[in-house]
Amino acid sequence: MKLEILTKNDNLSVQNSIISKIRDLINYKNLEPGDKLPSERMLSEKFEVTRSTVREAIQKLEFYGLLKSIPQSGTFVANIGVIAMNGMIEDILRLEDPDFKSLVETRILLELKTVKLAAIRRTEDDLRHLKQTLDAYENKVLNGEDAVQEDLLFHLAIAKASGNSTMNTFMLTITPEIITNFEKYHVCDKGQATLGIQEHKDIYEAIKAQDPKLAKAKMKIHFNILYQYCYNI
């Protein structure tokens, strides 16, 4: 019977267990850089967990550069020595979930940089995507609906427009945790969400005008309430 993931802590525990088993499998089979791992289906059956759980563990190891997935080919051991790999996996397993304050600080630092880069590098396609996410956010807020995910999609669109794949990956990595904490702490009330419409528009217009200094200034204003809220939790 496959394991069911019931809570966030359970999920992390199972994910770490799978990571440990993948490490043990690599060591047991003496897999070297470039060697292929068994398929997700085979690992799922071997470890008695769902394929999605195996996929999450593989994605985490891929994020840290220990595995490499090639579409329609499979997952391969990255070009790193066994001793270094085992050491890095131990470090990964010791990582604690970031608290909300750490996530907010990280997000602010990232976005003050990505918004400047977006203003410099954005394309017309980027602008269209930003406008779509901006409109989706505004529509939900004006209809009195929860717009947390639309808010973050707007910010992810900025990260994509920055043209920096690493920053974009970092944003994609921390976004699910931010959404969870926003809902937990009820960060975005109706008043703040309504104010956010104009702030988003100001950021969009600065990016459209390709003015990095103004874009950064508008992003600082946008984050002011969130930063204050974070340190009053």
Side-chain angles (χ1 to χ4, degrees), residues 115-124 126 161-165 210:
V115 76
K116 288 180 65 178
L117 292 175
I120 296 169
R121 299 173 177 174
R122 60 82 175 159
T123 65
E124 291 302 314
D126 291 327
S162 75
N164 187 303
S165 60
Q210 295 189 299

Side-chain angles (χ1 to χ4, degrees), residues 14 52 78 178 202 222:
V14 173
S52 62
I178 290 174
D202 290 342
H222 182 52

Side-chain angles (χ1 to χ4, degrees), residues 100-101 104 185 187 192 224-233:
F100 188 39
K101 293 178 184 178
V104 169
Y185 294 116
V187 173
Q192 291 171 347
N224 186 47
I225 293 176
L226 175 60
Y227 196 82
Q228 290 179 9
Y229 186 93
C230 170
Y231 283 91
N232 286 323
I233 291 176

Side-chain angles (χ1 to χ4, degrees), residues 21 30 34 43 68-70 77 86 96 115 117 123 148-150 152 157 166 178 182 194 197 201 219:
K21 289 177 180 178
N30 293 318
L43 291 175
K68 183 176 182 180
S69 293
I70 301 177
V77 179
N86 286 327
E96 296 180 357
V115 76
L117 292 175
T123 65
V148 171
Q149 295 192 31
E150 285 71 20
L152 288 167
T166 301
I178 290 174
F182 271 23
T194 304
I197 294 174
K201 287 181 177 178
M219 185 66 80

Side-chain angles (χ1 to χ4, degrees), residues 34-150:
D35 286 346
K36 185 177 178 180
L37 263 63
S39 67
E40 287 181 4
R41 180 183 59 79
M42 293 177 66
L43 291 175
S44 169
E45 293 174 356
K46 181 178 179 63
F47 300 149
E48 298 185 319
V49 294
T50 61
R51 287 183 65 175
S52 62
T53 304
V54 171
R55 189 176 303 117
E56 287 173 2
I58 288 174
Q59 287 173 343
K60 192 168 187 178
L61 290 173
E62 188 175 10
F63 175 77
Y64 287 103
L66 301 180
L67 297 178
K68 183 176 182 180
S69 293
I70 301 177
Q72 300 181 353
S73 294
T75 302
F76 301 83
V77 179
N79 187 23
I80 184 171
V82 174
I83 294 177
M85 174 174 286
N86 286 327
M88 288 183 68
I89 289 178
E90 285 301 316
D91 288 340
I92 292 168
L93 295 175
R94 284 195 295 266
L95 285 174
E96 296 180 357
D97 276 352
D99 58 53
F100 188 39
K101 293 178 184 178
S102 297
L103 286 166
V104 169
E105 289 174 343
T106 301
R107 181 185 170 191
I108 290 173
L109 288 170
L110 278 173
E111 292 213 56
L112 290 179
K113 185 64 177 178
T114 57
V115 76
K116 288 180 65 178
L117 292 175
I120 296 169
R121 299 173 177 174
R122 60 82 175 159
T123 65
E124 291 302 314
D125 283 342
D126 291 327
L127 279 180
R128 280 192 287 272
H129 186 205
L130 278 167
K131 188 65 166 61
Q132 288 172 355
T133 59
L134 174 59
D135 290 344
Y137 175 78
E138 181 175 9
N139 288 337
K140 276 213 166 182
V141 171
L142 294 181
N143 287 328
E145 300 176 53
D146 180 5
V148 171
Q149 295 192 31
E150 285 71 20

